[in-house]
Amino acid sequence: MLDKEEFAIASKLYSKAFSIAKGNIQERFKSLLDYYNNITGFVETEPYAIMHHAIELIGPDCTICGRPFRTPEAKMCVLCGKKRNIT
């Protein structure tokens, strides 16, 4: 998962790739893929998938099972069913 600053850089690299007219997806998004791979150590090959890896898109960890809630607004853990009070 990318934190706010890392995701901002990734977003700029993602947008910049659309201005490149020549090359296949791997060539056009090379700077984004390299950036993500260097940060995470995971060799991602799909640029669009990276745009779903912002830590701000998920909720806090469940206090019962430890798995993160799917969104910051989620009211229930999908793994264990724990209900969450959102104030």
Side-chain angles (χ1 to χ4, degrees):
M1 299 303 287
L2 302 175
D3 66 23
K4 191 174 185 175
E5 293 81 24
E6 293 166 341
F7 189 74
I9 294 168
S11 293
K12 287 179 185 176
L13 293 171
Y14 184 78
S15 296
K16 183 179 175 183
F18 286 101
S19 67
I20 301 170
K22 294 183 180 180
N24 62 29
I25 289 177
Q26 298 298 319
E27 293 167 346
R28 292 172 59 198
F29 289 91
K30 183 176 181 355
S31 60
L32 170 63
L33 294 169
D34 289 346
Y35 174 73
Y36 184 79
N37 296 343
N38 288 334
I39 288 176
T40 65
F42 179 77
V43 181
E44 179 62 69
T45 58
E46 179 56 52
Y48 184 68
I50 295 171
M51 303 318 293
H52 293 281
H53 291 172
I55 203 156
E56 292 179 337
L57 298 177
I58 63 169
D61 291 344
C62 175
T63 57
I64 301 296
C65 69
R67 183 178 178 125
F69 286 89
R70 288 194 175 180
T71 69
E73 296 82 23
K75 296 179 182 176
M76 185 179 86
C77 176
V78 295
L79 185 64
C80 71
K82 178 182 179 356
K83 300 219 187 274
R84 176 176 165 225
N85 292 332
I86 299 177
T87 55

Coordinates of all heavy atoms in Angstrom, one line a residue:
M1 N 0.8 -1.2 0.0 CA 0.0 0.0 0.0 C 0.9 1.2 0.0 O 1.9 1.3 0.6 CB -0.9 0.0 1.2 CG -1.9 -1.2 1.3 SD -2.9 -1.4 -0.1 CE -4.1 -0.1 0.1
L2 N 0.4 2.2 -0.7 CA 1.2 3.5 -0.8 C 0.6 4.5 0.2 O -0.6 4.7 0.3 CB 1.1 4.0 -2.2 CG 1.6 3.1 -3.3 CD1 1.4 3.7 -4.7 CD2 3.1 2.8 -3.1
D3 N 1.5 5.2 0.9 CA 1.0 6.3 1.7 C 0.6 7.5 0.9 O 0.7 7.5 -0.3 CB 2.0 6.7 2.8 CG 3.3 7.3 2.3 OD1 3.3 7.8 1.2 OD2 4.3 7.2 3.1
K4 N 0.2 8.6 1.5 CA -0.3 9.7 0.8 C 0.7 10.3 -0.2 O 0.4 10.6 -1.3 CB -0.8 10.8 1.8 CG -1.6 11.9 1.2 CD -2.1 12.8 2.3 CE -3.0 13.9 1.7 NZ -3.7 14.7 2.7
E5 N 1.9 10.5 0.3 CA 3.0 11.1 -0.5 C 3.4 10.2 -1.6 O 3.6 10.6 -2.8 CB 4.2 11.5 0.3 CG 4.0 12.6 1.4 CD 3.3 12.1 2.6 OE1 3.4 10.9 3.0 OE2 2.6 12.9 3.3
E6 N 3.5 8.9 -1.4 CA 3.9 8.0 -2.4 C 2.8 7.9 -3.5 O 3.1 7.8 -4.7 CB 4.1 6.6 -1.8 CG 5.3 6.5 -0.9 CD 5.4 5.3 0.0 OE1 4.3 4.6 0.2 OE2 6.5 4.9 0.5
F7 N 1.6 7.9 -3.0 CA 0.5 7.8 -4.0 C 0.4 9.0 -4.8 O 0.0 8.9 -6.0 CB -0.9 7.5 -3.3 CG -2.0 7.2 -4.2 CD1 -2.1 6.0 -4.8 CD2 -3.0 8.2 -4.5 CE1 -3.1 5.7 -5.7 CE2 -4.0 7.9 -5.4 CZ -4.1 6.7 -6.0
A8 N 0.7 10.2 -4.3 CA 0.7 11.4 -5.1 C 1.7 11.3 -6.2 O 1.4 11.7 -7.4 CB 1.0 12.6 -4.2
I9 N 2.9 10.8 -5.9 CA 3.9 10.6 -6.9 C 3.5 9.6 -8.0 O 3.6 9.9 -9.2 CB 5.3 10.2 -6.3 CG1 5.8 11.3 -5.4 CG2 6.3 9.8 -7.4 CD1 7.0 10.9 -4.5
A10 N 2.9 8.5 -7.5 CA 2.4 7.5 -8.4 C 1.3 8.0 -9.3 O 1.3 7.7 -10.6 CB 1.9 6.3 -7.7
S11 N 0.5 8.9 -8.8 CA -0.6 9.5 -9.6 C -0.1 10.4 -10.7 O -0.6 10.3 -11.8 CB -1.6 10.3 -8.7 OG -2.2 9.4 -7.8
K12 N 1.0 11.1 -10.4 CA 1.6 12.0 -11.4 C 2.2 11.2 -12.5 O 2.1 11.5 -13.7 CB 2.6 12.9 -10.8 CG 2.0 14.0 -9.9 CD 3.0 14.9 -9.3 CE 2.4 15.9 -8.4 NZ 3.3 16.7 -7.7
L13 N 2.9 10.1 -12.1 CA 3.6 9.2 -13.1 C 2.5 8.5 -14.0 O 2.7 8.3 -15.2 CB 4.4 8.2 -12.4 CG 5.7 8.7 -11.7 CD1 6.4 7.6 -10.9 CD2 6.7 9.3 -12.7
Y14 N 1.4 8.1 -13.4 CA 0.3 7.5 -14.1 C -0.3 8.5 -15.1 O -0.5 8.1 -16.3 CB -0.8 7.1 -13.1 CG -1.9 6.3 -13.7 CD1 -1.8 5.0 -14.0 CD2 -3.2 6.9 -13.9 CE1 -2.9 4.2 -14.5 CE2 -4.2 6.2 -14.4 CZ -4.1 4.9 -14.7 OH -5.1 4.2 -15.2
S15 N -0.5 9.7 -14.7 CA -1.1 10.7 -15.6 C -0.1 11.0 -16.7 O -0.5 11.2 -17.9 CB -1.4 12.0 -14.9 OG -2.4 11.7 -13.9
K16 N 1.2 11.1 -16.4 CA 2.2 11.4 -17.4 C 2.3 10.4 -18.5 O 2.5 10.7 -19.7 CB 3.5 11.6 -16.7 CG 4.6 12.0 -17.6 CD 5.9 12.1 -16.8 CE 7.1 12.4 -17.8 NZ 8.4 12.5 -17.1
A17 N 2.0 9.1 -18.1 CA 2.1 8.0 -19.1 C 1.1 8.2 -20.2 O 1.3 7.7 -21.3 CB 2.0 6.7 -18.4
F18 N 0.0 8.8 -19.9 CA -1.1 9.0 -21.0 C -0.6 10.0 -22.0 O -1.2 10.0 -23.1 CB -2.4 9.4 -20.3 CG -3.1 8.3 -19.6 CD1 -3.0 8.2 -18.3 CD2 -3.7 7.3 -20.4 CE1 -3.6 7.1 -17.6 CE2 -4.4 6.3 -19.7 CZ -4.3 6.2 -18.3
S19 N 0.3 10.8 -21.7 CA 0.8 11.8 -22.7 C 1.8 11.2 -23.7 O 2.2 11.8 -24.7 CB 1.4 13.0 -22.0 OG 2.6 12.7 -21.3
I20 N 2.3 10.0 -23.4 CA 3.3 9.3 -24.2 C 2.5 8.6 -25.3 O 1.7 7.7 -25.1 CB 4.1 8.3 -23.4 CG1 4.9 9.1 -22.3 CG2 5.1 7.6 -24.3 CD1 5.6 8.2 -21.3
A21 N 2.7 9.0 -26.6 CA 1.9 8.5 -27.7 C 2.4 7.1 -28.2 O 1.7 6.3 -28.8 CB 1.9 9.5 -28.8
K22 N 3.7 6.9 -28.1 CA 4.3 5.6 -28.6 C 4.6 4.6 -27.6 O 4.9 4.9 -26.4 CB 5.6 6.0 -29.4 CG 5.3 6.8 -30.6 CD 6.6 7.0 -31.4 CE 6.4 7.9 -32.6 NZ 7.6 8.1 -33.3
G23 N 4.5 3.3 -28.0 CA 4.9 2.3 -27.1 C 3.7 1.5 -26.6 O 2.6 2.0 -26.5
N24 N 4.0 0.3 -26.1 CA 3.0 -0.5 -25.5 C 2.8 -0.1 -24.0 O 3.5 0.9 -23.5 CB 3.3 -2.0 -25.6 CG 4.6 -2.4 -24.8 OD1 5.0 -1.7 -23.8 ND2 5.2 -3.4 -25.3
I25 N 1.9 -0.7 -23.3 CA 1.6 -0.3 -21.9 C 2.8 -0.4 -21.1 O 3.1 0.5 -20.3 CB 0.5 -1.2 -21.4 CG1 -0.8 -0.8 -22.0 CG2 0.3 -1.0 -19.9 CD1 -2.0 -1.6 -21.6
Q26 N 3.6 -1.4 -21.2 CA 4.8 -1.6 -20.3 C 5.8 -0.5 -20.6 O 6.4 0.0 -19.6 CB 5.5 -2.9 -20.6 CG 4.6 -4.1 -20.3 CD 4.2 -4.2 -18.8 OE1 5.0 -3.9 -18.0 NE2 3.0 -4.6 -18.6
E27 N 5.9 0.0 -21.8 CA 6.9 1.1 -22.1 C 6.4 2.4 -21.6 O 7.1 3.2 -21.1 CB 7.1 1.1 -23.6 CG 7.9 -0.1 -24.1 CD 7.8 -0.2 -25.7 OE1 7.0 0.5 -26.3 OE2 8.6 -1.0 -26.2
R28 N 5.1 2.7 -21.9 CA 4.5 4.0 -21.5 C 4.4 4.2 -20.0 O 4.6 5.3 -19.5 CB 3.1 4.1 -22.1 CG 3.1 4.2 -23.6 CD 1.8 4.1 -24.2 NE 0.9 5.2 -23.8 CZ -0.4 5.1 -23.9 NH1 -1.0 4.1 -24.4 NH2 -1.1 6.1 -23.4
F29 N 4.2 3.1 -19.3 CA 4.1 3.2 -17.8 C 5.3 2.7 -17.1 O 5.2 2.4 -15.9 CB 2.8 2.4 -17.3 CG 1.5 3.0 -17.7 CD1 0.9 2.7 -18.9 CD2 0.9 3.9 -16.9 CE1 -0.3 3.2 -19.3 CE2 -0.3 4.5 -17.3 CZ -0.9 4.2 -18.5
K30 N 6.4 2.6 -17.8 CA 7.7 2.1 -17.2 C 8.1 2.9 -15.9 O 8.4 2.3 -14.9 CB 8.8 2.1 -18.2 CG 10.1 1.5 -17.6 CD 11.2 1.4 -18.7 CE 12.5 0.8 -18.2 NZ 12.7 0.5 -16.8
S31 N 8.0 4.2 -16.0 CA 8.4 5.0 -14.8 C 7.5 4.7 -13.6 O 8.0 4.6 -12.4 CB 8.5 6.5 -15.1 OG 7.2 6.9 -15.5
L32 N 6.2 4.5 -13.8 CA 5.3 4.2 -12.7 C 5.6 2.8 -12.2 O 5.7 2.6 -11.0 CB 3.9 4.3 -13.2 CG 2.8 3.8 -12.2 CD1 2.8 4.6 -10.9 CD2 1.4 3.7 -12.9
L33 N 5.7 1.9 -13.1 CA 6.0 0.5 -12.6 C 7.3 0.4 -11.9 O 7.4 -0.3 -10.9 CB 5.9 -0.5 -13.9 CG 4.6 -0.6 -14.5 CD1 4.7 -1.3 -15.9 CD2 3.6 -1.3 -13.7
D34 N 8.3 1.0 -12.4 CA 9.6 1.0 -11.7 C 9.5 1.6 -10.3 O 10.1 1.1 -9.4 CB 10.7 1.7 -12.5 CG 11.1 0.9 -13.8 OD1 10.8 -0.3 -13.9 OD2 11.7 1.5 -14.6
Y35 N 8.8 2.8 -10.2 CA 8.7 3.5 -9.0 C 8.0 2.6 -8.0 O 8.4 2.4 -6.8 CB 7.9 4.8 -9.2 CG 7.5 5.5 -7.9 CD1 8.5 6.2 -7.2 CD2 6.2 5.5 -7.4 CE1 8.2 6.8 -6.0 CE2 5.9 6.1 -6.3 CZ 6.9 6.8 -5.6 OH 6.5 7.5 -4.4
Y36 N 6.9 2.0 -8.4 CA 6.1 1.1 -7.5 C 6.9 -0.1 -7.0 O 7.0 -0.5 -5.9 CB 4.8 0.6 -8.1 CG 3.9 -0.2 -7.2 CD1 3.2 0.4 -6.3 CD2 3.9 -1.6 -7.4 CE1 2.4 -0.3 -5.4 CE2 3.1 -2.3 -6.5 CZ 2.3 -1.7 -5.6 OH 1.5 -2.5 -4.7
N37 N 7.6 -0.7 -8.0 CA 8.4 -1.9 -7.7 C 9.6 -1.6 -6.8 O 9.9 -2.4 -5.9 CB 9.0 -2.5 -9.0 CG 7.9 -3.0 -9.9 OD1 6.7 -3.2 -9.5 ND2 8.2 -3.2 -11.2
N38 N 10.2 -0.4 -6.9 CA 11.3 0.0 -6.0 C 10.8 0.3 -4.6 O 11.5 0.0 -3.6 CB 12.0 1.3 -6.5 CG 12.8 1.0 -7.7 OD1 13.3 -0.1 -7.9 ND2 13.0 2.0 -8.6
I39 N 9.6 0.8 -4.4 CA 9.0 1.1 -3.1 C 8.6 -0.2 -2.4 O 8.9 -0.4 -1.2 CB 7.8 2.1 -3.2 CG1 8.4 3.5 -3.6 CG2 7.1 2.1 -1.9 CD1 7.2 4.4 -3.8
T40 N 7.9 -1.0 -3.1 CA 7.2 -2.2 -2.5 C 8.0 -3.5 -2.6 O 7.8 -4.4 -1.8 CB 5.8 -2.4 -3.1 OG1 6.0 -2.8 -4.5 CG2 4.9 -1.2 -3.0
G41 N 8.9 -3.6 -3.6 CA 9.6 -4.8 -3.8 C 8.7 -5.8 -4.6 O 9.2 -6.9 -4.8
F42 N 7.5 -5.4 -4.9 CA 6.6 -6.3 -5.7 C 6.7 -5.9 -7.2 O 6.5 -4.7 -7.5 CB 5.2 -6.2 -5.2 CG 4.2 -7.0 -5.9 CD1 4.1 -8.4 -5.6 CD2 3.4 -6.5 -6.8 CE1 3.2 -9.2 -6.3 CE2 2.4 -7.3 -7.5 CZ 2.4 -8.6 -7.3
V43 N 6.8 -6.9 -8.0 CA 6.9 -6.6 -9.5 C 5.5 -6.6 -10.1 O 5.0 -7.6 -10.5 CB 7.8 -7.6 -10.2 CG1 7.9 -7.3 -11.7 CG2 9.2 -7.7 -9.6
E44 N 4.9 -5.4 -10.0 CA 3.6 -5.2 -10.6 C 3.7 -5.0 -12.1 O 4.6 -4.3 -12.5 CB 2.9 -4.0 -9.9 CG 1.5 -3.7 -10.4 CD 0.5 -4.8 -10.2 OE1 0.2 -5.1 -9.1 OE2 0.1 -5.5 -11.2
T45 N 2.9 -5.6 -12.9 CA 2.9 -5.4 -14.3 C 1.7 -4.7 -14.8 O 1.7 -4.3 -16.0 CB 3.0 -6.8 -15.0 OG1 1.9 -7.6 -14.6 CG2 4.3 -7.5 -14.6
E46 N 0.7 -4.4 -14.0 CA -0.5 -3.7 -14.4 C -0.6 -2.4 -13.8 O -0.9 -2.2 -12.6 CB -1.7 -4.6 -14.0 CG -3.1 -4.0 -14.4 CD -3.2 -3.7 -15.8 OE1 -2.9 -4.6 -16.7 OE2 -3.5 -2.5 -16.2
P47 N -0.4 -1.3 -14.6 CA -0.4 0.1 -14.0 C -1.7 0.4 -13.3 O -1.7 1.1 -12.3 CB -0.1 1.0 -15.2 CG 0.4 0.1 -16.3 CD -0.1 -1.3 -16.0
Y48 N -2.8 0.0 -13.9 CA -4.1 0.4 -13.3 C -4.2 -0.2 -11.9 O -4.8 0.5 -11.0 CB -5.2 -0.1 -14.2 CG -6.6 0.3 -13.8 CD1 -7.0 1.6 -13.8 CD2 -7.5 -0.6 -13.3 CE1 -8.2 2.0 -13.4 CE2 -8.8 -0.2 -12.9 CZ -9.1 1.1 -13.0 OH -10.3 1.5 -12.5
A49 N -3.7 -1.3 -11.6 CA -3.8 -2.0 -10.3 C -3.1 -1.1 -9.3 O -3.6 -1.0 -8.1 CB -3.2 -3.3 -10.3
I50 N -2.1 -0.4 -9.6 CA -1.3 0.4 -8.7 C -2.2 1.5 -8.2 O -2.1 1.9 -7.0 CB 0.0 1.0 -9.3 CG1 0.9 -0.2 -9.7 CG2 0.6 2.0 -8.5 CD1 2.1 0.2 -10.5
M51 N -3.1 2.0 -9.0 CA -3.9 3.1 -8.6 C -5.0 2.7 -7.5 O -5.7 3.6 -7.0 CB -4.6 3.8 -9.8 CG -3.6 4.2 -10.9 SD -2.1 5.1 -10.2 CE -2.9 6.6 -9.6
H52 N -5.1 1.5 -7.2 CA -6.0 1.0 -6.1 C -5.2 0.7 -4.9 O -5.8 0.2 -3.9 CB -6.7 -0.2 -6.6 CG -7.7 0.0 -7.7 ND1 -8.9 0.6 -7.5 CD2 -7.5 -0.2 -9.1 CE1 -9.5 0.7 -8.7 NE2 -8.7 0.3 -9.6
H53 N -3.9 1.0 -4.8 CA -3.1 0.7 -3.7 C -2.8 1.9 -2.8 O -1.7 1.9 -2.1 CB -1.8 0.0 -4.2 CG -2.0 -1.3 -4.8 ND1 -1.0 -2.0 -5.4 CD2 -3.1 -2.1 -4.8 CE1 -1.5 -3.2 -5.8 NE2 -2.8 -3.2 -5.5
A54 N -3.7 2.8 -2.7 CA -3.6 3.9 -1.7 C -4.1 3.5 -0.4 O -5.2 3.0 -0.2 CB -4.3 5.1 -2.3
I55 N -3.3 3.7 0.6 CA -3.7 3.4 2.0 C -4.9 4.1 2.4 O -5.7 3.6 3.3 CB -2.5 3.5 3.0 CG1 -2.7 2.7 4.2 CG2 -2.3 5.0 3.4 CD1 -1.5 2.3 4.9
E56 N -5.2 5.3 1.9 CA -6.4 6.1 2.2 C -7.7 5.4 1.7 O -8.7 5.8 2.2 CB -6.2 7.5 1.7 CG -5.1 8.3 2.3 CD -5.0 9.7 1.7 OE1 -5.4 9.9 0.6 OE2 -4.5 10.5 2.4
L57 N -7.6 4.5 0.8 CA -8.8 3.8 0.3 C -9.3 2.7 1.2 O -10.4 2.2 1.0 CB -8.5 3.2 -1.1 CG -8.1 4.2 -2.2 CD1 -7.8 3.5 -3.5 CD2 -9.2 5.3 -2.4
I58 N -8.5 2.3 2.2 CA -9.0 1.2 3.1 C -9.2 1.8 4.5 O -8.7 2.9 4.9 CB -8.0 0.1 3.2 CG1 -6.6 0.5 3.7 CG2 -7.8 -0.6 1.8 CD1 -5.7 -0.6 4.1
G59 N -9.9 1.0 5.3 CA -10.3 1.5 6.6 C -9.2 1.0 7.6 O -8.2 0.3 7.3
P60 N -9.5 1.2 8.9 CA -8.6 0.7 10.0 C -8.7 -0.8 10.1 O -9.6 -1.4 9.6 CB -9.1 1.4 11.2 CG -10.6 1.6 10.9 CD -10.7 1.9 9.5
D61 N -7.7 -1.3 10.9 CA -7.7 -2.8 11.1 C -8.9 -3.1 12.1 O -9.1 -2.4 13.0 CB -6.4 -3.2 11.7 CG -5.2 -3.1 10.7 OD1 -5.5 -3.0 9.5 OD2 -4.1 -3.2 11.1
C62 N -9.5 -4.3 11.9 CA -10.5 -4.8 12.7 C -9.9 -5.2 14.1 O -8.8 -5.7 14.1 CB -11.1 -6.1 12.1 SG -12.3 -6.9 13.2
T63 N -10.5 -4.8 15.2 CA -10.0 -5.1 16.5 C -10.1 -6.6 16.9 O -9.5 -7.1 17.8 CB -10.7 -4.3 17.6 OG1 -12.1 -4.6 17.5 CG2 -10.4 -2.8 17.4
I64 N -10.9 -7.4 16.1 CA -11.0 -8.8 16.4 C -10.1 -9.7 15.6 O -9.3 -10.4 16.1 CB -12.5 -9.3 16.1 CG1 -13.5 -8.5 17.0 CG2 -12.6 -10.8 16.3 CD1 -13.3 -8.7 18.5
C65 N -10.1 -9.5 14.2 CA -9.3 -10.4 13.4 C -8.1 -9.7 12.8 O -7.2 -10.4 12.3 CB -10.2 -10.9 12.2 SG -10.7 -9.7 11.0
G66 N -8.0 -8.4 12.9 CA -6.8 -7.7 12.4 C -6.8 -7.3 10.9 O -6.0 -6.6 10.4
R67 N -7.8 -7.8 10.2 CA -7.9 -7.5 8.7 C -8.5 -6.1 8.6 O -9.4 -5.7 9.3 CB -8.8 -8.5 8.0 CG -8.9 -8.3 6.5 CD -9.7 -9.4 5.9 NE -9.8 -9.1 4.5 CZ -9.5 -10.0 3.6 NH1 -9.1 -11.2 3.9 NH2 -9.6 -9.7 2.3
P68 N -7.9 -5.3 7.6 CA -8.5 -4.0 7.5 C -9.9 -4.0 6.9 O -10.3 -4.8 6.1 CB -7.5 -3.3 6.5 CG -6.8 -4.4 5.8 CD -6.9 -5.6 6.7
F69 N -10.7 -3.0 7.4 CA -12.0 -2.8 6.8 C -11.8 -2.4 5.3 O -10.8 -1.7 5.0 CB -12.8 -1.7 7.6 CG -13.3 -2.2 8.9 CD1 -12.5 -2.0 10.0 CD2 -14.5 -2.7 9.0 CE1 -12.9 -2.5 11.3 CE2 -15.0 -3.2 10.3 CZ -14.2 -3.0 11.4
R70 N -12.8 -2.7 4.5 CA -12.6 -2.5 3.0 C -12.6 -1.0 2.6 O -12.0 -0.7 1.6 CB -13.7 -3.2 2.3 CG -13.5 -4.7 2.3 CD -14.4 -5.4 1.2 NE -14.0 -6.8 1.2 CZ -14.6 -7.6 0.4 NH1 -15.5 -7.2 -0.4 NH2 -14.3 -8.9 0.5
T71 N -13.3 -0.2 3.4 CA -13.2 1.2 3.1 C -13.2 2.0 4.5 O -13.5 1.4 5.5 CB -14.5 1.7 2.4 OG1 -15.6 1.6 3.2 CG2 -14.7 0.9 1.1
P72 N -12.8 3.2 4.5 CA -12.9 4.0 5.7 C -14.3 4.1 6.3 O -14.4 4.3 7.5 CB -12.3 5.4 5.3 CG -11.5 5.1 4.1 CD -12.2 4.0 3.4
E73 N -15.3 4.0 5.5 CA -16.7 4.1 6.0 C -17.3 2.8 6.3 O -18.5 2.7 6.7 CB -17.5 4.8 4.9 CG -17.1 6.2 4.6 CD -16.0 6.4 3.7 OE1 -15.7 5.4 2.9 OE2 -15.2 7.4 3.7
A74 N -16.6 1.6 6.1 CA -17.2 0.3 6.3 C -17.7 0.2 7.7 O -17.1 0.6 8.7 CB -16.2 -0.8 6.0
K75 N -18.9 -0.5 7.8 CA -19.5 -0.6 9.2 C -19.4 -2.0 9.7 O -19.8 -2.3 10.8 CB -21.0 -0.3 9.0 CG -21.2 1.2 8.7 CD -22.7 1.5 8.6 CE -22.8 3.0 8.2 NZ -24.2 3.3 7.9
M76 N -18.8 -2.9 8.9 CA -18.7 -4.3 9.3 C -17.5 -5.0 8.7 O -17.2 -4.7 7.5 CB -20.0 -5.1 8.9 CG -19.9 -6.5 9.4 SD -21.4 -7.4 9.0 CE -21.0 -8.0 7.4
C77 N -16.8 -5.8 9.4 CA -15.6 -6.5 8.9 C -16.1 -7.7 8.0 O -16.9 -8.5 8.5 CB -14.7 -7.0 10.0 SG -13.4 -8.1 9.5
V78 N -15.6 -7.8 6.8 CA -16.1 -8.9 5.9 C -15.6 -10.2 6.3 O -16.1 -11.3 6.0 CB -15.8 -8.6 4.4 CG1 -16.6 -7.4 4.0 CG2 -14.4 -8.5 4.2
L79 N -14.5 -10.3 7.1 CA -13.9 -11.5 7.4 C -14.6 -12.1 8.7 O -15.0 -13.3 8.6 CB -12.4 -11.4 7.7 CG -11.6 -12.7 8.0 CD1 -11.7 -13.6 6.8 CD2 -10.2 -12.4 8.4
C80 N -14.7 -11.4 9.7 CA -15.2 -11.9 11.0 C -16.6 -11.4 11.3 O -17.3 -12.0 12.2 CB -14.3 -11.7 12.1 SG -14.2 -10.0 12.7
G81 N -17.1 -10.4 10.6 CA -18.5 -9.9 10.9 C -18.6 -8.9 12.0 O -19.7 -8.5 12.3
K82 N -17.5 -8.5 12.6 CA -17.5 -7.5 13.7 C -18.1 -6.2 13.2 O -17.8 -5.7 12.2 CB -16.2 -7.2 14.3 CG -16.2 -6.2 15.4 CD -14.9 -5.9 15.9 CE -14.8 -4.8 17.0 NZ -16.0 -4.1 17.4
K83 N -19.1 -5.7 13.9 CA -19.7 -4.4 13.6 C -18.8 -3.3 14.1 O -18.2 -3.4 15.2 CB -21.1 -4.3 14.2 CG -22.0 -5.4 13.7 CD -23.4 -4.9 13.4 CE -24.3 -6.0 13.1 NZ -24.4 -6.4 11.8
R84 N -18.8 -2.2 13.4 CA -17.9 -1.1 13.8 C -18.8 0.2 14.0 O -19.6 0.5 13.2 CB -16.9 -0.8 12.6 CG -16.0 0.3 12.8 CD -15.0 0.4 11.6 NE -14.4 1.7 11.6 CZ -14.2 2.4 10.5 NH1 -14.6 1.9 9.3 NH2 -13.7 3.5 10.5
N85 N -18.5 0.9 15.1 CA -19.2 2.1 15.3 C -18.4 3.3 14.7 O -17.2 3.5 15.0 CB -19.3 2.4 16.8 CG -20.2 1.5 17.5 OD1 -21.2 0.9 16.9 ND2 -20.0 1.2 18.8
I86 N -19.0 4.0 13.8 CA -18.4 5.1 13.1 C -19.0 6.4 13.7 O -20.2 6.6 13.7 CB -18.6 5.1 11.6 CG1 -18.0 3.8 11.0 CG2 -18.0 6.3 11.0 CD1 -18.3 3.6 9.5
T87 N -18.1 7.2 14.3 CA -18.6 8.4 14.9 C -18.2 9.6 14.1 O -17.4 9.6 13.3 CB -18.0 8.6 16.3 OG1 -16.6 8.5 16.3 CG2 -18.6 7.6 17.2

